[in-house]
Amino acid sequence: MCSSYCVQVTTAKVETSREVKQGLRAKEFFEKHPRFRTGLLVVVLLGTCMFIADGVFTPAISVLSAVTGIKVAIPSLHEDIVIAVSCCILIGLFALQHFGTHQVAFLFAPIVIAWLFCIASVGLYNIIIYNPRGIWAALSPVYMYKFLKLAGRDGWTSLGGIVLCMTGTEAMFADLGHFNQMSIKIAFTTVVYPCLLLGYIGQAAYLYKNPGDVSESFYKSIPRPVFWPVFVVATLAAVVGSQAVITATFSIIKQCQSLGCFPRVKLIYTSKRIHGQIYIPEINWILFILCLAVTVGFRDTITIGNAYGLAVITVMLVTTCLMALVILVVWRRNIIEALGFLVIFGVIELFYISACIMKVPQGGWVPLVLTVVFMSIMYIWNYGTIKKYEYDLQNKVNMETLLKIGGNLGLVRVPGVGLVYTKLVTAVPPIFSHFFTNLPALHDVLVLVSIKSVQVPYIPSNERCLVGRIGPKRLRMYRCVVRYGYKDIHKDDHKFEDKLLQSLGEYILMEDDAEEEGNGFDDGADGKMHLPGIQSSSLVHAVNNDGASKERFGKGKESSGNSKVSSSENPSRTNGKKRVRFETPARKELNPAVRQEYEKLKEAREKGVVYILGHSHVQASSASSMIKKFSINIVYTFLRRICRGPGVVLHIPQENSIQIGVVYRV
């Protein structure tokens, strides 16, 4: 969908980064092999939806497993009390999500360290007490072969439960957005993995002497004097592990939304310092309802474990497949290396998946149902979004048509700046001609604004805007592409107008400099984008009602135009609009035409800014199949009605916006 935009990305300095180069390699590959796009989308959505299901089962099984220790300590306790306590903990866990994790995050590391210390100590104690010599033979893979050979089919089906030994550790890697790879590798290999080995080997040593306690081996293997402290630490560790997966679910939903694969939902950034800490109310309460339903409905960890194991191992297999693709396409390694990686790890994971599939009737059907529901929603949303974009692309107003009506455009120009939001980054969107046909009056300065999410994590703020001109200079029409990485924070920013018009003013001066150097711009070329000089000073000057200027906006440096700027953190408003004025650059030989255009921009900015958006209604064409009509006319339309509108997502003030109704027949 953003293929035309990706071409524009190459004009920015950010293309030198490793992430952009890798993204362009992947783009080139899928342009050469378009058939892989649909297949890759299905695989990615499958892994994403299974991870969302993981976000449902992890809190349920973690908390319920921890709270089950009460029944071990008090055998006469009724099972309903265990379920009630688990539900209370889950209610508190999800109810506190909107506060963010940063306020209590300092407790997470001590809790996890205490938990790892507890399981390692208890495991070592059991090894010393029950089987100090022979149990170490369990580290040999020979016994795995002997076990499968002796147990036969029962041993194979037991792999569906054995897979739970490795689940939970993947929550560490879900925090890749918060920690770097090296720190997670060091923590896993030097702390987590040894402690897990001691814990499981210790339980095996205990079961060697007490084979009848296999269903509750962990809590029964804990020495009585330290039972309740370990129980408290286990419960807290379950909450911390659940919190990690819930936060990771928010993060992956946010990235899917940035890539156009999930309906627009509300994003709340709970931390000013850590980008990855977000809160999504809709997803939080959906997870809460599903998690509570799973806990109350299944009531035991065995059934939940069957569903949980299938979800986790499927995510692992999808990750392995995608990693093999990265090795081949992005890293450009030999195909033998990619196949070797896929075969070695994929065969092991398929072995476990085959065992987990046998558990589908015993609870494994739940992640499959959740995956089908979420995958249908995400695929239909992505399909409808792409079709809507293709309609815009096919019905765009080309430059020749624009130039034909160019004389009429100058007849009625109202004061102010008009920001026309569109997804197109080339030509003029059909909404523009629709607007002009119904209301033949345009603003003095028109800017077509495109908000784009690119396949890189972050875009520096000073490299965010690409600016270009549409048509001849007399039209005073511009295009601005505002780029955000899929991990960038796009929140309410009162300085967005100032930053955008600052880039526009710098672009006007850049044109003058280019003409002086003999590299004039093509005034009639549309789609030619440029990155304004990032060393330029800001061009927007905000003042109070009494005319007193406020503090500088950013770190202004000497620019080619020698302009100065200052902008307030909260510019004063009169009747809901900011009072902003421009300072004309003090320049000895400023081109008269450039000065006039710059003055027009200044005057238009002082008159105010109006946001022009399209209020679209998407319908399937009459020749479409029944499946397409159902997907577009019912599902996609329903999703568009219940999700957040573009004006809310883009933080556009309602009092300064104009919406134009457009019907899309795709």
Side-chain angles (χ1 to χ4, degrees), residues 31-49:
E31 284 183 346
K32 294 179 181 178
H33 306 84
R35 294 183 179 180
F36 284 96
R37 292 181 184 177
T38 304
L40 178 64
L41 178 62
V42 171
V43 172
V44 170
L45 292 184
L46 173 64
T48 302
C49 295

Side-chain angles (χ1 to χ4, degrees), residues 229-258:
V230 172
F231 170 78
V232 173
V233 174
T235 305
L236 293 176
V239 172
V240 171
S242 303
Q243 175 64 43
V245 176
I246 292 171
T247 303
T249 305
F250 293 158
S251 179
I252 199 170
I253 291 295
K254 186 250 185 184
Q255 296 180 26
C256 289
Q257 179 178 304
S258 299

Side-chain angles (χ1 to χ4, degrees), residues 86 233 336 351 367 405 484 529 650:
S86 301
V233 174
I336 298 178
F351 203 53
I405 62 174
Y484 288 92
M529 308 297 292
L650 299 172

Side-chain angles (χ1 to χ4, degrees), residues 409 411-414 435-443 446 612:
L409 287 176
L411 294 179
V412 182
R413 303 298 289 264
V414 297
F435 171 70
F436 184 72
T437 302
N438 291 274
L439 184 65
L442 302 176
H443 293 82
L446 278 171
I612 304 172

Side-chain angles (χ1 to χ4, degrees), residues 114-132:
W115 167 243
L116 294 174
F117 174 77
C118 286
I119 62 175
S121 302
V122 172
L124 190 60
Y125 169 82
N126 290 325
I127 292 172
I128 295 173
I129 297 298
Y130 297 104
N131 194 347

